[in-house]
Amino acid sequence: MSAYHPLTEQQAVELARTLPEFFSEEAKLVSREIGDGNLNLVFHIQDTSSGKSLIMKQALPYAKVVGESWPLTLDRARIESEALLLQNKLAPGLVPQVYHYDAEMALTVMEDLSDHVIMRQGLMDGVRYPLFADHISTFMAQTLFFTSDLGLNQQEKKQRVQQFINPELCKITEDLIFDDPYTVSDNNSFDEAIADEAAALREDNRLHLEVAILRHKFLTNAQALLHGDLHTGSVFATPESTKVIDPEFAYYGPMGFDIGAVLANLLLNYAGQEHWSAADLRGEVRSELLQMIRDIWTGFEAKFRKLWDEHGVDRLANDTIGYQDFYMKQLLQDAIGFAGCKMVRRIVGLAHVADIDRIPDAAAKESAQRLALRIGKELILTNRSAHSIESLIDIAQGATKAASAVST
Amino acid sequence: MSAYHPLTEQQAVELARTLPEFFSEEAKLVSREIGDGNLNLVFHIQDTSSGKSLIMKQALPYAKVVGESWPLTLDRARIESEALLLQNKLAPGLVPQVYHYDAEMALTVMEDLSDHVIMRQGLMDGVRYPLFADHISTFMAQTLFFTSDLGLNQQEKKQRVQQFINPELCKITEDLIFDDPYTVSDNNSFDEAIADEAAALREDNRLHLEVAILRHKFLTNAQALLHGDLHTGSVFATPESTKVIDPEFAYYGPMGFDIGAVLANLLLNYAGQEHWSAADLRGEVRSELLQMIRDIWTGFEAKFRKLWDEHGVDRLANDTIGYQDFYMKQLLQDAIGFAGCKMVRRIVGLAHVADIDRIPDAAAKESAQRLALRIGKELILTNRSAHSIESLIDIAQGATKAASAVST
């Protein structure tokens, strides 16, 4: 195996057998390819005698989501592997362990998390995650603070920026999130029922101005090492455990982009409750989701401020009264703006979310889509004047009321 | 010469002789070391028979300004050479030609500009530079626009960011400009006569807040490839010609930092006119300097906007009404804030400017220092509410009036 080639299941098994000190010599290994197949092969390899297992993830040299015509760098496997190792150091237990990385094969061998469920699916199934807000706020506070100029020697930080330059994966975000939804693009995909909404997005210059400002931050603001794609499909969860996976979009960008991604995907699920919860329980489920959002932000803010107070390395940032408040407010505003962008693109852009797309009833689906867009647009339009997480909560609640007034 | 070593004059001559197609075989070469010796050796090598000449600049592995104890990467020679080549492509004629670059020796061979004078000296000598505003605004518009996400493919831009990661030289700026002047530091240096001003700088939390915000931009905002040290000592000029030299501080940072550096150094000369112009001409000389500042900004803005309109590569940035205005205002505000930081540090920090330090009369020198500080602090404090270049002009004029009221 001197050069890259996509593995067959048999080759994956053979490779697993060569890993030092993992499987015993008598191991009976079986492999299943379990990837969703968009960007990577994912093999689940298990020793049927001992039960011991691992995951082997290999990057494909193209994005299957739009056919093989969209070539994609294999360097993202390096970025994913290096990001996982770093995140595991900064937020131990909140990402899968990496056992092995093979640069030439663009392959990472890591902890099997088959006892976990993709959180997006769990939320759709009504699973409660009482520890998620605490876990994800810890993950974000630790990884964002300690890779930023606040918590990391500023010269070492610049070398990290260099290490995680990630042009191709960033381009996917730049196009799909910050451009396509606001113009005519072949990448867009939306139901005919909301064609009026899609058209309105293309015409709304106030919205475009805010998106342009947020896009500029995504392009230029090397604030911290982001996960870069922190939606609920990038989280393996049980009620007791949270594991953040798939950081192949990792790069140095604005912290608010990661925070906003988490909030947006909970709000998309919130919108999808048009279907996923019974009418008489919907209000309660939604309240719980908003409380989770509140807990994530307040938990993140408290942890981040504590890290800053205890581990801040920037003298001026540490000693200047009011700077921490200024900084946290900027983070919140960015998070709210990016959350809005993330919501809009999941309704009219290329990649949708199951929380909404899998709603079988057309009317409920349309309601959910319109609600998500209403919240998303309002978050974008108001991001620069937001002053607390209640600004976001108010928008979600207000939009829900307004939507239900329209539908009755 | 298999490994790096600082060249002697004789070795410089021998090396010059090996350059292809520059000197003839009969050339009679003489060398003079003409560097100020802080960071580099600079050899002027001339063929006394033909008059043909060149400059050979070799980076030293330490900063002599604080003794040999401050080691400094030789990689800055690569950065300088690559920045010069890029700037020459983007702003032809406004930087010296590069003839040769030797990575191992950290050495760049370039155009001899001995017929030019360092502009800081020229300004002190009362030389007028009627074309400078046009030249420097072209230099900044061209180099900043075409290395930014507005004028350069955004994936290629990310590779440029990677190419110009410059931790050690950035650290000099981060410490000397954005930290030391606002705290007790061995690096600081100021006259006893203005110890009160230095103490006030350390206590002014409003100022610290603005400096912290500007410092954060310097640390994180990878907006364009900056020159990074664009003061009047980095400009070789004649009344007809402008050559920007010494881009060893080049890195991807906020555009306003370069613009602010130019404005700040003209304002430092403005303050220094306490000595350099006769009392009855001082008002006129200062008016000319302010007009030059106005012309630089308005020239820069007009050229930058024209480049954007004609060569903008970012669809959303191009199509969104109001975004260009928003962007230009942000640039102006950043430029004003950074200009203030640049002024303050030249009075109380490690590295001063001749425009003020060479004033022989103690009282005139103190007046100039206090005026520079007054302008600098006001620029920092007001940067985020500035709305046009007249905001800066008004501050300079107001501070001058207030200072003369105090002294009479």
Side-chain angles (χ1 to χ4, degrees), chain A residues 64-228:
Chain A
K64 269 205 268 181
V65 65
V66 285
E68 300 200 10
S69 58
W70 194 339
L72 210 53
T73 174
L74 295 175
D75 187 50
R76 70 188 197 277
R78 175 189 68 77
I79 287 188
E80 171 164 354
S81 180
E82 293 180 359
L84 277 176
L85 290 166
L86 188 56
Q87 290 163 347
N88 194 45
K89 218 182 286 178
L90 298 175
L94 295 173
V95 297
Q97 298 282 337
V98 171
Y99 302 136
H100 176 72
Y101 166 62
D102 181 332
E104 198 166 24
M105 292 294 285
L107 181 135
T108 305
V109 183
M110 65 185 112
E111 188 180 0
D112 177 22
L113 298 167
S114 301
D115 55 332
H116 289 58
V117 169
I118 286 292
M119 186 179 171
R120 188 184 302 288
Q121 186 60 49
L123 287 172
M124 287 158 58
D125 295 340
V127 179
R128 304 286 161 95
Y129 294 102
L131 302 181
F132 177 70
D134 183 39
H135 290 164
I136 201 73
S137 59
T138 296
F139 174 81
M140 293 193 296
Q142 292 282 133
T143 59
L144 298 178
F145 179 81
F146 282 114
T147 59
S148 80
D149 289 299
L150 297 170
L152 177 64
N153 172 293
Q154 292 156 0
Q155 277 47 62
E156 198 183 328
K157 180 245 182 175
K158 292 177 179 69
Q159 282 152 2
R160 294 275 187 215
V161 172
Q162 196 166 39
Q163 176 186 355
F164 287 101
I165 292 279
N166 197 355
E168 287 192 36
L169 281 283
C170 283
K171 180 162 175 58
I172 295 176
T173 303
E174 289 154 21
D175 287 351
L176 300 191
I177 299 186
F178 295 110
D179 189 351
D180 294 334
Y182 307 97
T183 189
V184 174
S185 164
D186 288 344
N187 290 332
N188 288 338
S189 156
F190 49 82
D191 292 351
E192 193 50 38
I194 58 159
D196 61 320
E197 294 272 14
L201 287 172
R202 295 195 290 270
E203 300 304 318
D204 189 340
N205 192 77
R206 265 178 71 222
L207 201 65
H208 296 182
L209 178 59
E210 297 302 328
V211 174
I213 293 169
L214 289 159
R215 175 179 162 90
H216 182 252
K217 289 185 188 180
F218 185 86
L219 286 167
T220 62
N221 194 358
Q223 200 173 25
L225 182 64
L226 307 188
H227 177 282

Side-chain angles (χ1 to χ4, degrees), chain A residues 98-383:
Chain A
V98 171
Y99 302 136
H100 176 72
Y101 166 62
D102 181 332
E104 198 166 24
M105 292 294 285
L107 181 135
T108 305
V109 183
M110 65 185 112
E111 188 180 0
D112 177 22
L113 298 167
S114 301
D115 55 332
H116 289 58
V117 169
I118 286 292
M119 186 179 171
R120 188 184 302 288
Q121 186 60 49
L123 287 172
M124 287 158 58
D125 295 340
V127 179
R128 304 286 161 95
Y129 294 102
L131 302 181
F132 177 70
D134 183 39
H135 290 164
I136 201 73
S137 59
T138 296
F139 174 81
M140 293 193 296
Q142 292 282 133
T143 59
L144 298 178
F145 179 81
F146 282 114
T147 59
S148 80
D149 289 299
L150 297 170
L152 177 64
N153 172 293
Q154 292 156 0
Q155 277 47 62
E156 198 183 328
K157 180 245 182 175
K158 292 177 179 69
Q159 282 152 2
R160 294 275 187 215
V161 172
Q162 196 166 39
Q163 176 186 355
F164 287 101
I165 292 279
N166 197 355
E168 287 192 36
L169 281 283
C170 283
K171 180 162 175 58
I172 295 176
T173 303
E174 289 154 21
D175 287 351
L176 300 191
I177 299 186
F178 295 110
D179 189 351
D180 294 334
Y182 307 97
T183 189
V184 174
S185 164
D186 288 344
N187 290 332
N188 288 338
S189 156
F190 49 82
D191 292 351
E192 193 50 38
I194 58 159
D196 61 320
E197 294 272 14
L201 287 172
R202 295 195 290 270
E203 300 304 318
D204 189 340
N205 192 77
R206 265 178 71 222
L207 201 65
H208 296 182
L209 178 59
E210 297 302 328
V211 174
I213 293 169
L214 289 159
R215 175 179 162 90
H216 182 252
K217 289 185 188 180
F218 185 86
L219 286 167
T220 62
N221 194 358
Q223 200 173 25
L225 182 64
L226 307 188
H227 177 282
D229 194 27
L230 196 47
H231 56 77
T232 47
S234 296
V235 175
F236 260 132
T238 71
E240 295 79 33
S241 170
T242 304
K243 304 278 184 183
V244 176
I245 62 171
D246 292 353
E248 57 203 90
F249 283 78
Y251 88 111
Y252 261 81
M255 298 183 187
F257 189 75
D258 267 6
I259 309 165
V262 174
L263 307 185
N265 280 273
L266 293 174
L267 287 171
L268 287 163
N269 183 270
Y270 173 102
Q273 295 300 327
E274 291 301 303
H275 168 76
W276 302 105
S277 54
D280 59 332
L281 293 174
R282 194 166 298 149
E284 195 188 325
V285 172
R286 283 184 166 159
S287 287
E288 286 181 20
L289 283 166
L290 293 185
Q291 186 57 42
M292 189 188 273
I293 284 173
R294 188 183 278 119
D295 292 344
I296 289 170
W297 171 259
T298 56
F300 168 79
E301 180 174 10
K303 290 166 191 174
F304 195 93
R305 282 181 184 268
K306 189 159 184 284
L307 291 174
W308 190 333
D309 291 341
E310 295 177 0
H311 303 283
V313 298
D314 185 324
R315 188 203 67 76
L316 193 67
N318 293 346
D319 292 355
T320 301
I321 299 161
Y323 183 59
Q324 194 180 104
D325 292 343
F326 176 91
Y327 195 101
M328 297 314 296
K329 187 172 166 190
Q330 187 61 63
L331 284 195
L332 175 81
Q333 293 180 344
D334 287 356
I336 287 177
F338 287 124
C341 295
K342 290 268 197 176
M343 292 185 74
V344 167
R345 74 93 162 214
R346 292 294 193 180
I347 306 301
V348 301
L350 177 71
H352 290 206
V353 291
D355 315 59
I356 289 180
D357 265 28
R358 295 223 187 117
I359 297 178
D361 178 69
K365 186 177 177 191
E366 183 184 335
S367 297
Q369 289 177 328
R370 289 185 186 274
L371 176 56
L373 284 176
R374 192 188 280 257
I375 298 171
K377 288 194 294 183
E378 196 67 14
L379 294 179
I380 294 171
L381 287 171
T382 60
N383 79 88

Side-chain angles (χ1 to χ4, degrees), chain A residues 384-401:
Chain A
R384 287 190 289 151
S385 57
H387 49 81
S388 96
I389 192 64
E390 299 308 317
S391 306
L392 177 150
I393 308 273
D394 289 349
I395 284 168
Q397 289 175 329
T400 312
K401 259 182 219 157

